[in-house]
Amino acid sequence: MPSTSHPLAVVIGLGRSGSGAARLLKASGQRVLVLESRRNPELEQQAEDLRAGGVEVELGQSLASESFAQLQPGTDRVVVSPGIRWDHPVLKALRERGVRVCGEMSVAWEASNEIPWIGITGTNGKTTVTHLLSHILNHAGLDAPMVGNVGISAAELLIERREAGATPPDWLVVELSSYQIESSAELAPRLGLWTTLTPDHLERHGTLEAYRAIKRSLLQNCGEQLLNADDADLRAHAGSWDRATWVTAGPRRLLGAGLQPFLWIDGGMVMAASGPLFSAAALALPGAHNRQNMVLAAATALKLGLEPAVIEAALRSFPGVPHRLEQIRLLDGVRWFNDSKATNYDAAEVGITAVEGPMVVLAGGEIKQGDPEAWLEALGRQAAAVVLFGAAREAFAALLSGSGYAGTVELVEGQAEAVPLARELARRLGCPTVLLSPACASFDQYKDFEARGEHFRTLVAAL
């Protein structure tokens, strides 16, 4: 580690978030060192680009205590990527020593100055709401880019705007994962949205209570809170929120006397206290969960002063979200859907329920902790066949067998075998739908769910 005569920021990890954070910290006048454990030609090129801008980079450096021995408490800091566990022994030791440890979102938060944030979190739905809200605001003439957990680093966007001499955005629409919230406790968006809460990332957070507390900490910091009253876990804790605004995708009377929603859907119309606003069919995406996503995004837009007609026009022009129940092909009368974003049982169950059955489902990848019961029930109702691939295939086959699943089950190595087999099964069983719905993380075979979804898209296009 270089001499630390000036305050030093050590950025761990050279992914999208790490690179953006390093450039942003350097632009704010700090000395920056990036440590990356991997080494390959692509990273070598990234390192050279950063070094040209005055950032020090060391590749092939593992996360070990000796790398940080010279850091000074109170002045130096360590910036971690979301992929590194917050309870990593080295990070815990640094915090105990008084060295500040934070996430990339903290760097972006400090640099965004007066730009108001809309923070969006939840187990499922947050990506769709983020895309949808950014689309509505931009359609209305506001400059409201989406950043964060959607694959566009907040720090990267801010430094690119700064280097281009561009005016700051009107709003930042920020998708925030539990990993990002955990490492950036100071985030305090102007508005906070909470879509859903079901067990996820328990292999990292340990318990549902710990996972819920992380999500809740963000909302408690927000100026305004918008919550989905259709989520069972959020609704069960409704009494603990004294200033939240609630929305529902059903009639308000179904919520009972305790919750008075700001928006609801009744008789096919999105409703507010003032009366009907626009048709609930303005958003063409399938499934009841997308109605929930729509009322959350519409409620936010109304709170920002947009007119209902402007919101409706934006909803009608929304193209959907890549890898989230995305229809990619109609072939021989069969609709092919890419739902690679369904990385857990609950997200997969929502997608399976949302589209027309009977279907052939492609599932598999790196298995996560969680309760598979509702997912297995949905497969039993909707799927005539399930093609299992990747590391989870044997475990998933055992789950299906144990649940009494009566359809066809096939096991293959990867998607290259799964896709042509799914086509044959759909033809033989008369299924109008083939759905990639992994119910798993992607890291056994892909770098992320986008890469998995793109591979599926390529294979289907080649049929």
PDB file of all heavy atoms in Angstrom, residues 34-61:
ATOM      1  N   VAL A  34      -7.360   1.696  -6.070  1.00  0.00           N
ATOM      2  CA  VAL A  34      -8.315   0.612  -6.328  1.00  0.00           C
ATOM      3  C   VAL A  34      -7.600  -0.720  -6.169  1.00  0.00           C
ATOM      4  O   VAL A  34      -6.533  -0.932  -6.749  1.00  0.00           O
ATOM      5  CB  VAL A  34      -8.915   0.718  -7.752  1.00  0.00           C
ATOM      6  CG1 VAL A  34      -9.870  -0.448  -8.011  1.00  0.00           C
ATOM      7  CG2 VAL A  34      -9.643   2.037  -7.944  1.00  0.00           C
ATOM      8  N   LEU A  35      -8.199  -1.627  -5.383  1.00  0.00           N
ATOM      9  CA  LEU A  35      -7.691  -2.987  -5.232  1.00  0.00           C
ATOM     10  C   LEU A  35      -8.682  -3.957  -5.867  1.00  0.00           C
ATOM     11  O   LEU A  35      -9.882  -3.904  -5.571  1.00  0.00           O
ATOM     12  CB  LEU A  35      -7.526  -3.342  -3.743  1.00  0.00           C
ATOM     13  CG  LEU A  35      -6.591  -2.463  -2.907  1.00  0.00           C
ATOM     14  CD1 LEU A  35      -6.562  -2.943  -1.465  1.00  0.00           C
ATOM     15  CD2 LEU A  35      -5.179  -2.445  -3.493  1.00  0.00           C
ATOM     16  N   GLU A  36      -8.194  -4.820  -6.742  1.00  0.00           N
ATOM     17  CA  GLU A  36      -9.053  -5.789  -7.426  1.00  0.00           C
ATOM     18  C   GLU A  36      -8.396  -7.161  -7.340  1.00  0.00           C
ATOM     19  O   GLU A  36      -7.211  -7.310  -7.652  1.00  0.00           O
ATOM     20  CB  GLU A  36      -9.241  -5.365  -8.901  1.00  0.00           C
ATOM     21  CG  GLU A  36      -9.852  -6.395  -9.816  1.00  0.00           C
ATOM     22  CD  GLU A  36     -11.218  -6.888  -9.370  1.00  0.00           C
ATOM     23  OE1 GLU A  36     -12.136  -6.055  -9.232  1.00  0.00           O
ATOM     24  OE2 GLU A  36     -11.352  -8.107  -9.168  1.00  0.00           O
ATOM     25  N   SER A  37      -9.179  -8.172  -6.922  1.00  0.00           N
ATOM     26  CA  SER A  37      -8.600  -9.508  -6.713  1.00  0.00           C
ATOM     27  C   SER A  37      -8.327 -10.237  -8.027  1.00  0.00           C
ATOM     28  O   SER A  37      -7.439 -11.065  -8.112  1.00  0.00           O
ATOM     29  CB  SER A  37      -9.533 -10.353  -5.843  1.00  0.00           C
ATOM     30  OG  SER A  37     -10.799 -10.481  -6.470  1.00  0.00           O
ATOM     31  N   ARG A  38      -9.108  -9.930  -9.068  1.00  0.00           N
ATOM     32  CA  ARG A  38      -8.941 -10.636 -10.349  1.00  0.00           C
ATOM     33  C   ARG A  38      -7.902  -9.934 -11.235  1.00  0.00           C
ATOM     34  O   ARG A  38      -7.510  -8.816 -10.974  1.00  0.00           O
ATOM     35  CB  ARG A  38     -10.290 -10.702 -11.084  1.00  0.00           C
ATOM     36  CG  ARG A  38     -11.383 -11.452 -10.332  1.00  0.00           C
ATOM     37  CD  ARG A  38     -12.742 -11.165 -10.933  1.00  0.00           C
ATOM     38  NE  ARG A  38     -13.058  -9.734 -10.894  1.00  0.00           N
ATOM     39  CZ  ARG A  38     -13.939  -9.137 -11.686  1.00  0.00           C
ATOM     40  NH1 ARG A  38     -14.580  -9.821 -12.602  1.00  0.00           N
ATOM     41  NH2 ARG A  38     -14.168  -7.839 -11.569  1.00  0.00           N
ATOM     42  N   ARG A  39      -7.529 -10.644 -12.305  1.00  0.00           N
ATOM     43  CA  ARG A  39      -6.601 -10.054 -13.282  1.00  0.00           C
ATOM     44  C   ARG A  39      -6.904 -10.675 -14.644  1.00  0.00           C
ATOM     45  O   ARG A  39      -6.817 -11.889 -14.797  1.00  0.00           O
ATOM     46  CB  ARG A  39      -5.150 -10.330 -12.871  1.00  0.00           C
ATOM     47  CG  ARG A  39      -4.102  -9.619 -13.715  1.00  0.00           C
ATOM     48  CD  ARG A  39      -2.714 -10.142 -13.403  1.00  0.00           C
ATOM     49  NE  ARG A  39      -2.197  -9.714 -12.116  1.00  0.00           N
ATOM     50  CZ  ARG A  39      -1.571  -8.564 -11.904  1.00  0.00           C
ATOM     51  NH1 ARG A  39      -1.371  -7.721 -12.892  1.00  0.00           N
ATOM     52  NH2 ARG A  39      -1.115  -8.262 -10.699  1.00  0.00           N
ATOM     53  N   ASN A  40      -7.329  -9.853 -15.604  1.00  0.00           N
ATOM     54  CA  ASN A  40      -7.552 -10.335 -16.973  1.00  0.00           C
ATOM     55  C   ASN A  40      -7.371  -9.150 -17.918  1.00  0.00           C
ATOM     56  O   ASN A  40      -7.250  -8.007 -17.474  1.00  0.00           O
ATOM     57  CB  ASN A  40      -8.946 -10.989 -17.100  1.00  0.00           C
ATOM     58  CG  ASN A  40     -10.073 -10.028 -16.771  1.00  0.00           C
ATOM     59  OD1 ASN A  40     -10.073  -8.874 -17.205  1.00  0.00           O
ATOM     60  ND2 ASN A  40     -11.057 -10.494 -16.006  1.00  0.00           N
ATOM     61  N   PRO A  41      -7.323  -9.393 -19.244  1.00  0.00           N
ATOM     62  CA  PRO A  41      -7.056  -8.297 -20.195  1.00  0.00           C
ATOM     63  C   PRO A  41      -8.060  -7.139 -20.083  1.00  0.00           C
ATOM     64  O   PRO A  41      -7.669  -5.972 -20.187  1.00  0.00           O
ATOM     65  CB  PRO A  41      -7.153  -8.987 -21.562  1.00  0.00           C
ATOM     66  CG  PRO A  41      -6.803 -10.414 -21.293  1.00  0.00           C
ATOM     67  CD  PRO A  41      -7.336 -10.707 -19.928  1.00  0.00           C
ATOM     68  N   GLU A  42      -9.330  -7.467 -19.853  1.00  0.00           N
ATOM     69  CA  GLU A  42     -10.351  -6.412 -19.744  1.00  0.00           C
ATOM     70  C   GLU A  42     -10.086  -5.515 -18.521  1.00  0.00           C
ATOM     71  O   GLU A  42     -10.152  -4.290 -18.600  1.00  0.00           O
ATOM     72  CB  GLU A  42     -11.738  -7.070 -19.624  1.00  0.00           C
ATOM     73  CG  GLU A  42     -12.897  -6.078 -19.701  1.00  0.00           C
ATOM     74  CD  GLU A  42     -14.245  -6.765 -19.477  1.00  0.00           C
ATOM     75  OE1 GLU A  42     -14.327  -7.996 -19.647  1.00  0.00           O
ATOM     76  OE2 GLU A  42     -15.192  -6.057 -19.118  1.00  0.00           O
ATOM     77  N   LEU A  43      -9.723  -6.159 -17.391  1.00  0.00           N
ATOM     78  CA  LEU A  43      -9.426  -5.392 -16.178  1.00  0.00           C
ATOM     79  C   LEU A  43      -8.134  -4.595 -16.345  1.00  0.00           C
ATOM     80  O   LEU A  43      -8.018  -3.473 -15.837  1.00  0.00           O
ATOM     81  CB  LEU A  43      -9.337  -6.324 -14.972  1.00  0.00           C
ATOM     82  CG  LEU A  43     -10.665  -6.910 -14.493  1.00  0.00           C
ATOM     83  CD1 LEU A  43     -10.415  -8.037 -13.488  1.00  0.00           C
ATOM     84  CD2 LEU A  43     -11.528  -5.826 -13.848  1.00  0.00           C
ATOM     85  N   GLU A  44      -7.147  -5.170 -17.055  1.00  0.00           N
ATOM     86  CA  GLU A  44      -5.883  -4.448 -17.306  1.00  0.00           C
ATOM     87  C   GLU A  44      -6.170  -3.144 -18.068  1.00  0.00           C
ATOM     88  O   GLU A  44      -5.605  -2.096 -17.759  1.00  0.00           O
ATOM     89  CB  GLU A  44      -4.921  -5.326 -18.129  1.00  0.00           C
ATOM     90  CG  GLU A  44      -4.405  -6.560 -17.400  1.00  0.00           C
ATOM     91  CD  GLU A  44      -3.278  -6.277 -16.414  1.00  0.00           C
ATOM     92  OE1 GLU A  44      -2.960  -5.094 -16.204  1.00  0.00           O
ATOM     93  OE2 GLU A  44      -2.748  -7.250 -15.833  1.00  0.00           O
ATOM     94  N   GLN A  45      -7.084  -3.222 -19.039  1.00  0.00           N
ATOM     95  CA  GLN A  45      -7.440  -2.034 -19.821  1.00  0.00           C
ATOM     96  C   GLN A  45      -8.142  -1.002 -18.939  1.00  0.00           C
ATOM     97  O   GLN A  45      -7.841   0.196 -19.004  1.00  0.00           O
ATOM     98  CB  GLN A  45      -8.337  -2.426 -21.002  1.00  0.00           C
ATOM     99  CG  GLN A  45      -8.683  -1.270 -21.934  1.00  0.00           C
ATOM    100  CD  GLN A  45      -7.446  -0.553 -22.474  1.00  0.00           C
ATOM    101  OE1 GLN A  45      -6.596  -1.172 -23.098  1.00  0.00           O
ATOM    102  NE2 GLN A  45      -7.321   0.752 -22.212  1.00  0.00           N
ATOM    103  N   GLN A  46      -9.084  -1.480 -18.099  1.00  0.00           N
ATOM    104  CA  GLN A  46      -9.785  -0.578 -17.177  1.00  0.00           C
ATOM    105  C   GLN A  46      -8.800   0.096 -16.230  1.00  0.00           C
ATOM    106  O   GLN A  46      -8.898   1.295 -15.960  1.00  0.00           O
ATOM    107  CB  GLN A  46     -10.792  -1.378 -16.341  1.00  0.00           C
ATOM    108  CG  GLN A  46     -12.232  -1.256 -16.808  1.00  0.00           C
ATOM    109  CD  GLN A  46     -13.156  -1.962 -15.827  1.00  0.00           C
ATOM    110  OE1 GLN A  46     -13.135  -3.175 -15.727  1.00  0.00           O
ATOM    111  NE2 GLN A  46     -13.939  -1.203 -15.103  1.00  0.00           N
ATOM    112  N   ALA A  47      -7.838  -0.701 -15.744  1.00  0.00           N
ATOM    113  CA  ALA A  47      -6.833  -0.168 -14.821  1.00  0.00           C
ATOM    114  C   ALA A  47      -6.001   0.915 -15.491  1.00  0.00           C
ATOM    115  O   ALA A  47      -5.730   1.967 -14.898  1.00  0.00           O
ATOM    116  CB  ALA A  47      -5.938  -1.299 -14.322  1.00  0.00           C
ATOM    117  N   GLU A  48      -5.604   0.668 -16.758  1.00  0.00           N
ATOM    118  CA  GLU A  48      -4.816   1.668 -17.490  1.00  0.00           C
ATOM    119  C   GLU A  48      -5.594   2.968 -17.659  1.00  0.00           C
ATOM    120  O   GLU A  48      -5.047   4.068 -17.514  1.00  0.00           O
ATOM    121  CB  GLU A  48      -4.395   1.113 -18.857  1.00  0.00           C
ATOM    122  CG  GLU A  48      -3.199   0.176 -18.806  1.00  0.00           C
ATOM    123  CD  GLU A  48      -2.031   0.771 -18.029  1.00  0.00           C
ATOM    124  OE1 GLU A  48      -1.607   1.915 -18.337  1.00  0.00           O
ATOM    125  OE2 GLU A  48      -1.551   0.117 -17.084  1.00  0.00           O
ATOM    126  N   ASP A  49      -6.880   2.846 -17.983  1.00  0.00           N
ATOM    127  CA  ASP A  49      -7.722   4.046 -18.147  1.00  0.00           C
ATOM    128  C   ASP A  49      -7.788   4.847 -16.852  1.00  0.00           C
ATOM    129  O   ASP A  49      -7.709   6.077 -16.865  1.00  0.00           O
ATOM    130  CB  ASP A  49      -9.141   3.644 -18.579  1.00  0.00           C
ATOM    131  CG  ASP A  49      -9.166   3.033 -19.977  1.00  0.00           C
ATOM    132  OD1 ASP A  49      -8.162   3.199 -20.706  1.00  0.00           O
ATOM    133  OD2 ASP A  49     -10.177   2.396 -20.327  1.00  0.00           O
ATOM    134  N   LEU A  50      -7.937   4.140 -15.721  1.00  0.00           N
ATOM    135  CA  LEU A  50      -8.005   4.831 -14.423  1.00  0.00           C
ATOM    136  C   LEU A  50      -6.655   5.459 -14.067  1.00  0.00           C
ATOM    137  O   LEU A  50      -6.598   6.587 -13.564  1.00  0.00           O
ATOM    138  CB  LEU A  50      -8.439   3.857 -13.327  1.00  0.00           C
ATOM    139  CG  LEU A  50      -9.926   3.503 -13.301  1.00  0.00           C
ATOM    140  CD1 LEU A  50     -10.183   2.376 -12.315  1.00  0.00           C
ATOM    141  CD2 LEU A  50     -10.780   4.714 -12.922  1.00  0.00           C
ATOM    142  N   ARG A  51      -5.567   4.723 -14.341  1.00  0.00           N
ATOM    143  CA  ARG A  51      -4.231   5.268 -14.028  1.00  0.00           C
ATOM    144  C   ARG A  51      -3.968   6.543 -14.826  1.00  0.00           C
ATOM    145  O   ARG A  51      -3.349   7.484 -14.324  1.00  0.00           O
ATOM    146  CB  ARG A  51      -3.154   4.212 -14.332  1.00  0.00           C
ATOM    147  CG  ARG A  51      -3.137   3.061 -13.334  1.00  0.00           C
ATOM    148  CD  ARG A  51      -2.059   2.034 -13.680  1.00  0.00           C
ATOM    149  NE  ARG A  51      -2.178   0.842 -12.831  1.00  0.00           N
ATOM    150  CZ  ARG A  51      -2.288  -0.409 -13.282  1.00  0.00           C
ATOM    151  NH1 ARG A  51      -2.270  -0.640 -14.598  1.00  0.00           N
ATOM    152  NH2 ARG A  51      -2.388  -1.424 -12.449  1.00  0.00           N
ATOM    153  N   ALA A  52      -4.470   6.572 -16.067  1.00  0.00           N
ATOM    154  CA  ALA A  52      -4.290   7.774 -16.897  1.00  0.00           C
ATOM    155  C   ALA A  52      -4.982   8.982 -16.261  1.00  0.00           C
ATOM    156  O   ALA A  52      -4.580  10.127 -16.487  1.00  0.00           O
ATOM    157  CB  ALA A  52      -4.853   7.526 -18.296  1.00  0.00           C
ATOM    158  N   GLY A  53      -6.008   8.715 -15.457  1.00  0.00           N
ATOM    159  CA  GLY A  53      -6.707   9.802 -14.757  1.00  0.00           C
ATOM    160  C   GLY A  53      -6.178  10.067 -13.364  1.00  0.00           C
ATOM    161  O   GLY A  53      -6.806  10.804 -12.594  1.00  0.00           O
ATOM    162  N   GLY A  54      -5.042   9.434 -13.022  1.00  0.00           N
ATOM    163  CA  GLY A  54      -4.417   9.714 -11.723  1.00  0.00           C
ATOM    164  C   GLY A  54      -4.856   8.804 -10.588  1.00  0.00           C
ATOM    165  O   GLY A  54      -4.534   9.039  -9.424  1.00  0.00           O
ATOM    166  N   VAL A  55      -5.579   7.726 -10.905  1.00  0.00           N
ATOM    167  CA  VAL A  55      -6.008   6.768  -9.878  1.00  0.00           C
ATOM    168  C   VAL A  55      -4.994   5.622  -9.826  1.00  0.00           C
ATOM    169  O   VAL A  55      -4.588   5.101 -10.855  1.00  0.00           O
ATOM    170  CB  VAL A  55      -7.418   6.211 -10.199  1.00  0.00           C
ATOM    171  CG1 VAL A  55      -7.808   5.096  -9.237  1.00  0.00           C
ATOM    172  CG2 VAL A  55      -8.454   7.327 -10.173  1.00  0.00           C
ATOM    173  N   GLU A  56      -4.580   5.256  -8.616  1.00  0.00           N
ATOM    174  CA  GLU A  56      -3.678   4.113  -8.462  1.00  0.00           C
ATOM    175  C   GLU A  56      -4.514   2.832  -8.477  1.00  0.00           C
ATOM    176  O   GLU A  56      -5.577   2.776  -7.869  1.00  0.00           O
ATOM    177  CB  GLU A  56      -2.919   4.217  -7.137  1.00  0.00           C
ATOM    178  CG  GLU A  56      -2.066   5.486  -7.031  1.00  0.00           C
ATOM    179  CD  GLU A  56      -1.705   5.813  -5.588  1.00  0.00           C
ATOM    180  OE1 GLU A  56      -1.101   4.947  -4.940  1.00  0.00           O
ATOM    181  OE2 GLU A  56      -2.033   6.911  -5.125  1.00  0.00           O
ATOM    182  N   VAL A  57      -4.007   1.803  -9.193  1.00  0.00           N
ATOM    183  CA  VAL A  57      -4.742   0.532  -9.290  1.00  0.00           C
ATOM    184  C   VAL A  57      -3.776  -0.621  -9.066  1.00  0.00           C
ATOM    185  O   VAL A  57      -2.690  -0.641  -9.630  1.00  0.00           O
ATOM    186  CB  VAL A  57      -5.414   0.365 -10.675  1.00  0.00           C
ATOM    187  CG1 VAL A  57      -6.237  -0.931 -10.714  1.00  0.00           C
ATOM    188  CG2 VAL A  57      -6.288   1.555 -11.018  1.00  0.00           C
ATOM    189  N   GLU A  58      -4.183  -1.581  -8.221  1.00  0.00           N
ATOM    190  CA  GLU A  58      -3.401  -2.805  -8.022  1.00  0.00           C
ATOM    191  C   GLU A  58      -4.319  -3.996  -8.287  1.00  0.00           C
ATOM    192  O   GLU A  58      -5.323  -4.176  -7.590  1.00  0.00           O
ATOM    193  CB  GLU A  58      -2.840  -2.867  -6.592  1.00  0.00           C
ATOM    194  CG  GLU A  58      -1.797  -1.797  -6.312  1.00  0.00           C
ATOM    195  CD  GLU A  58      -1.248  -1.876  -4.886  1.00  0.00           C
ATOM    196  OE1 GLU A  58      -1.503  -2.899  -4.205  1.00  0.00           O
ATOM    197  OE2 GLU A  58      -0.586  -0.919  -4.461  1.00  0.00           O
ATOM    198  N   LEU A  59      -3.991  -4.788  -9.320  1.00  0.00           N
ATOM    199  CA  LEU A  59      -4.764  -5.990  -9.646  1.00  0.00           C
ATOM    200  C   LEU A  59      -4.167  -7.195  -8.925  1.00  0.00           C
ATOM    201  O   LEU A  59      -3.007  -7.173  -8.509  1.00  0.00           O
ATOM    202  CB  LEU A  59      -4.767  -6.220 -11.157  1.00  0.00           C
ATOM    203  CG  LEU A  59      -5.380  -5.107 -12.014  1.00  0.00           C
ATOM    204  CD1 LEU A  59      -5.279  -5.459 -13.496  1.00  0.00           C
ATOM    205  CD2 LEU A  59      -6.824  -4.827 -11.635  1.00  0.00           C
ATOM    206  N   GLY A  60      -4.976  -8.253  -8.775  1.00  0.00           N
ATOM    207  CA  GLY A  60      -4.508  -9.467  -8.104  1.00  0.00           C
ATOM    208  C   GLY A  60      -4.303  -9.298  -6.618  1.00  0.00           C
ATOM    209  O   GLY A  60      -3.504 -10.019  -6.014  1.00  0.00           O
ATOM    210  N   GLN A  61      -5.044  -8.364  -6.017  1.00  0.00           N
ATOM    211  CA  GLN A  61      -4.908  -8.092  -4.576  1.00  0.00           C
ATOM    212  C   GLN A  61      -6.094  -8.666  -3.824  1.00  0.00           C
ATOM    213  O   GLN A  61      -7.229  -8.240  -4.009  1.00  0.00           O
ATOM    214  CB  GLN A  61      -4.853  -6.579  -4.325  1.00  0.00           C
ATOM    215  CG  GLN A  61      -3.578  -5.908  -4.785  1.00  0.00           C
ATOM    216  CD  GLN A  61      -2.394  -6.274  -3.905  1.00  0.00           C
ATOM    217  OE1 GLN A  61      -2.544  -6.575  -2.726  1.00  0.00           O
ATOM    218  NE2 GLN A  61      -1.202  -6.249  -4.492  1.00  0.00           N
TER     219      GLN A  61
END
